[in-house]
């Protein structure tokens, strides 16, 4: 179903510009042709395999988009993996999900049991032996994406084609995206912030998609904003923090009408500074990996929260003025976790509402978040499972126990911190190297305290207040 919708959209817009990066660009007709030709190559790499599972782990580029569409045209199921995933995480994903093929950049470390088998444009392909014991896909699954799992392994979310389509269509409708728009996206296409706002949604309406990659410095972003004539900017909070350090004038951004960032970690101060310097409203994107995009603020300058539900979305949160668990029902809901049977279904009630890990309330129809109910930490727009990092740190040489938490650094920005129970002379560089060999770089704590023993309550739970006090003075923290 999904590739039919995409192909129809590509062919409806003819020779209009479709997607570009710093090095290349394709029109809609060219994108259709290039992905069709690459689909033939994908089929040749995977002869005789039923509904092949193709992992894509690469940075934003035209080649990424061509590969994604080619996989769909070849009858494969794309698995969109964060480029920042560490070698161990990539191996776990391949084993848990039974990937047949991994498409990646040349420098990407790949599981040792894979065999390099060809190239797809500038990207490389590694094939894995067929397995009879891999978990079966849902009959209607067309795309898979990942989110942090409570067990320390990434949860693989299965999506029907209709759910992916509705996420894009409802975002386009609810935010007024149209063919005259030009989107500059610095968020990774594997992340919901980009996947739902900037990929299929752009193609449905015939907009232009410009893909940024690399470090989003203020200079690089401003140059791309001008060269792309972007009307929408999409990026994680770090991008906007960079921009406010080198303020842009409204005259430098004549076309920009809207900026979009992930919600929770974007500080109100940074948001206000960006708006004051550019005159461009900065939208807080709120979505759940399992449920898609959920809200949008028509007027972010006056909205009391994160906006009202998008088309196809229903929200419940607490009672009148009283916070409660946020529950969502959407047309873009994931089906289940491929590698964690029953875990997603257990969070969906009989009425179809998904119980999120956020707490909040509705104010004049707008969602106001007040906290979280889980150990998933949101730093810089990336969700980090505290259990996963704690368990990995506890296995480092010299570390007896470890707790990972979110604190504010010296600039007031959310940071990942760790308290390690170890001998006083332990060098934090050792546990950090241990993590770097196993997890993505963004999961390595930037702040570390070494203590003889982790403070815990009589029931054995970490004494959170005492742990946070250790980071009250961040000037001398390693």
């Amino acid at each position: 179903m999904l590739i039919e919708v995409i192909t129809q959209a590509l062919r409806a817009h003819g020779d209009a510009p479709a997607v570009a990066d710093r090095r290349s660009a394709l029109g809609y007709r060219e994108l259709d042709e290039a992905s069709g030709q690459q689909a033939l190559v994908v089929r040749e790499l995977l002869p005789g395999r039923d509904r092949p599972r193709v992992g894509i782990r690469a940075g934003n580029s035209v080649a990424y988009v061509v590969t994604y569409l080619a996989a769909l045209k070849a009858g494969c199921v794309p698995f969109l993996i964060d480029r920042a995933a560490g070698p161990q995480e990539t191996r776990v994903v391949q084993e848990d999900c039974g990937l047949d093929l991994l498409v990646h950049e040349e420098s990407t470390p790949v599981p040792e049991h894979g065999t390099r088998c060809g190239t797809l444009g500038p990207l490389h392909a590694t094939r894995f032996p067929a397995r009879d014991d891999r978990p079966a896909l849902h009959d209607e699954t067309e795309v898979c994406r990942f989110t942090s799992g409570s067990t320390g392994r990434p949860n693989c979310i299965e999506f029907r084609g209709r759910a992916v389509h509705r996420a894009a269509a409802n975002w386009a409708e609810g935010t007024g995206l149209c063919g005259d728009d030009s989107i500059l996206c610095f968020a990774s296409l594997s992340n919901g912030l980009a996947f739902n706002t900037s990929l299929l949604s752009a193609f449905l309406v015939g907009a232009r998609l410009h893909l940024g990659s690399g470090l989003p410095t203020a200079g690089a972003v401003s140059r791309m904003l001008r060269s792309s004539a972007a009307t929408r900017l999409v990026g994680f909070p770090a991008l906007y923090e960079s921009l406010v350090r080198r303020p842009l004038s409204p005259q430098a951004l004549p076309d920009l009408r809207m900026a979009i960032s992930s919600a929770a970690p974007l500080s109100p101060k940074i948001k206000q500074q960006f708006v004051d310097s550019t005159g461009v409203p900065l939208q807080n994107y709120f979505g759940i990996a399992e449920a898609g995009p959920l809200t949008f603020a028509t007027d972010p300058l006056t909205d009391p929260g994160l906006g009202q539900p998008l088309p196809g979305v229903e929200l419940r949160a607490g009672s009148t003025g009283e916070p409660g668990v946020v529950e969502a029902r959407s047309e873009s809901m994931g089906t289940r976790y491929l590698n964690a049977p029953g875990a997603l279904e257990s969070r969906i009630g009989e009425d179809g509402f998904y119980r999120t890990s956020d707490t909040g309330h509705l104010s004049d129809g707008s969602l106001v978040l007040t906290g979280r109910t889980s150990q998933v930490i949101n730093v810089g727009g990336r969700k980090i499972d505290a259990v996963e990092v704690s368990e990995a740190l506890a296995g480092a040489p010299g570390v007896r126990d470890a707790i990972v938490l979110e604190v504010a650094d010296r600039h007031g920005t959310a940071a990942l911190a760790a308290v390690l129970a170890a001998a006083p002379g332990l060098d934090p560089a050792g546990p950090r190297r241990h993590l770097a060999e196993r997890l993505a770089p963004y999961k390595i704590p930037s702040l570390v305290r070494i203590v003889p023993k982790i403070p815990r309550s009589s029931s054995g739970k970490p004494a959170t207040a005492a742990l946070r006090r250790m980071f009250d003075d961040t000037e001398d923290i390693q």
Side-chain angles (χ1 to χ4, degrees), residues 2-216:
L2 186 57
I3 195 56
E4 293 173 0
V5 169
I6 294 174
T7 301
Q8 182 179 5
L10 297 181
R11 294 176 181 174
H13 305 307
D15 294 319
V19 59
D21 57 27
R22 288 192 177 101
R23 297 178 180 85
S24 59
L26 291 176
Y28 276 94
R29 191 188 313 279
E30 295 171 318
L31 180 57
D32 186 27
E33 293 172 353
S35 57
Q37 293 169 1
Q38 195 171 107
L40 299 177
V41 179
V42 172
R43 292 193 191 101
E44 291 176 357
L45 294 176
L46 298 167
R49 300 203 188 187
D50 180 45
R51 295 177 74 197
R53 306 177 188 188
V54 177
I56 306 174
R57 181 192 165 198
N60 286 0
S61 67
V62 170
Y64 186 112
V65 176
V66 171
T67 298
Y68 171 64
L69 299 183
L72 291 170
K73 287 187 175 184
C76 304
V77 177
F79 287 67
L80 307 187
I81 304 168
D82 192 340
R83 184 196 190 195
Q88 179 172 316
E89 290 168 302
T90 304
R91 179 181 59 79
V92 166
V93 165
Q94 192 281 320
E95 293 177 350
D96 276 7
C97 303
L99 298 184
D100 294 293
L101 195 74
L102 179 66
V103 181
H104 54 88
E105 294 158 343
E106 184 177 10
S107 60
T108 302
V110 298
E112 58 281 356
H113 59 287
T115 303
R116 295 281 182 106
C117 60
T119 57
L120 297 171
L123 300 177
H124 292 250
T126 295
R127 185 169 53 223
F128 301 97
R131 281 177 42 198
D132 295 329
D133 61 340
R134 65 183 181 179
L137 286 166
H138 189 282
D139 291 343
E140 298 179 8
T141 294
E142 296 190 48
V143 176
C144 290
R145 293 179 45 240
F146 294 86
T147 188
S148 295
S150 59
T151 62
R153 304 172 79 90
N155 282 339
C156 176
I157 313 170
E158 297 185 62
F159 288 97
R160 295 180 174 90
R162 183 181 185 279
V164 175
H165 175 221
R166 294 317 308 167
N170 290 338
W171 173 262
E173 178 187 348
T175 67
L177 182 67
C178 68
D180 293 331
D181 277 307
S182 176
I183 304 168
L184 175 56
C185 178
F186 276 88
S188 170
L189 289 173
S190 63
N191 186 280
L193 174 62
F195 183 78
N196 292 320
T197 70
S198 307
L199 190 54
L200 178 54
S201 57
F203 299 158
L204 289 178
V205 301
R208 303 179 301 282
L209 175 58
H210 300 264
L211 297 170
S213 60
L215 188 65

Side-chain angles (χ1 to χ4, degrees), residues 415-427:
L416 192 66
V419 179
L420 309 180
L426 179 71
D427 183 354

Side-chain angles (χ1 to χ4, degrees), residues 126-354:
T126 295
R127 185 169 53 223
F128 301 97
R131 281 177 42 198
D132 295 329
D133 61 340
R134 65 183 181 179
L137 286 166
H138 189 282
D139 291 343
E140 298 179 8
T141 294
E142 296 190 48
V143 176
C144 290
R145 293 179 45 240
F146 294 86
T147 188
S148 295
S150 59
T151 62
R153 304 172 79 90
N155 282 339
C156 176
I157 313 170
E158 297 185 62
F159 288 97
R160 295 180 174 90
R162 183 181 185 279
V164 175
H165 175 221
R166 294 317 308 167
N170 290 338
W171 173 262
E173 178 187 348
T175 67
L177 182 67
C178 68
D180 293 331
D181 277 307
S182 176
I183 304 168
L184 175 56
C185 178
F186 276 88
S188 170
L189 289 173
S190 63
N191 186 280
L193 174 62
F195 183 78
N196 292 320
T197 70
S198 307
L199 190 54
L200 178 54
S201 57
F203 299 158
L204 289 178
V205 301
R208 303 179 301 282
L209 175 58
H210 300 264
L211 297 170
S213 60
L215 188 65
T217 62
V221 175
S222 59
R223 285 191 295 273
M224 286 198 71
L225 281 169
R226 289 191 293 270
S227 64
S228 64
T231 60
R232 293 191 178 197
L233 174 63
V234 178
F236 293 121
L239 180 148
Y240 299 100
E241 292 166 3
S242 174
L243 288 178
V244 300
R245 285 195 291 269
R246 180 181 169 182
L248 300 170
S249 68
Q251 292 74 27
L253 310 172
D255 301 294
L256 192 63
R257 298 196 299 269
M258 180 189 303
I260 302 164
S261 173
S262 58
L266 181 66
S267 79
K269 180 180 178 182
I270 296 296
K271 179 178 179 179
Q272 191 60 52
Q273 288 177 333
F274 177 85
V275 174
D276 290 344
S277 64
T278 66
V280 176
L282 178 50
Q283 296 279 355
N284 281 330
Y285 170 88
F286 178 69
I288 301 293
E290 294 83 353
L294 298 177
T295 69
F296 181 79
T298 305
D299 184 357
L301 299 179
T302 60
D303 195 283
L306 300 177
Q308 293 74 37
L310 285 162
V313 174
E314 297 175 75
L315 294 177
R316 296 193 303 221
S319 56
T320 307
E322 292 294 325
V325 175
V326 177
E327 296 179 307
R329 182 166 62 187
S330 72
E331 296 177 343
S332 49
M333 192 85 71
T335 308
R336 63 182 187 179
Y337 296 133
L338 175 64
N339 58 340
L344 178 55
E345 297 92 322
S346 68
R347 298 182 70 94
I348 300 176
E350 293 182 359
D351 56 3
F353 276 83
Y354 172 77

